């Protein structure tokens, strides 16, 4: 599992990636492969990003920026 400090670093990194590529949509397994993270860490990070309304989960079970209509 990731540490408190690295958790926030991961959140910032993933927010940056989604800001640089506004059309980015990833499932959790895709995110795990892209950023080489374990399942538990990925779940925690994406839960945080969803709870903060930065990301939203689509019906296709991928994550997109919450402020953009697709």
């Amino acid at each position: 599992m990731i540490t408190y400090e690295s958790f926030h670093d991961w959140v910032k990194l993933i927010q940056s990636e989604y800001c640089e590529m506004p059309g980015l949509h990833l499932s959790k397994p895709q995110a795990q492969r892209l950023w080489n993270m374990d399942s538990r860490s990925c779940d925690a990070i994406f839960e945080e990003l969803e709870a903060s309304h930065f990301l939203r989960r689509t019906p296709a079970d991928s994550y997109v920026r919450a402020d953009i209509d697709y």
Side-chain angles (χ1 to χ4, degrees), residues 13-70:
L13 171 77
I14 293 171
Q15 284 176 325
S16 296
E17 295 284 345
Y18 272 92
C19 286
E20 288 179 23
M21 297 178 278
L24 185 62
H25 61 280
L26 295 170
S27 66
K28 283 184 182 176
Q30 289 171 323
Q32 285 177 247
R33 286 190 301 273
L34 178 63
W35 292 303
N36 193 30
M37 68 174 68
D38 64 87
S39 178
R40 289 180 62 201
S41 298
C42 186
D43 287 345
I45 291 164
F46 275 75
E47 285 173 15
E48 171 65 24
L49 290 166
E50 195 173 10
S52 68
H53 304 288
F54 182 78
L55 295 181
R56 65 180 170 84
R57 192 170 66 192
T58 69
D61 211 25
S62 62
Y63 288 82
V64 297
R65 281 190 30 197
D67 64 337
I68 297 177
D69 291 326
Y70 294 89

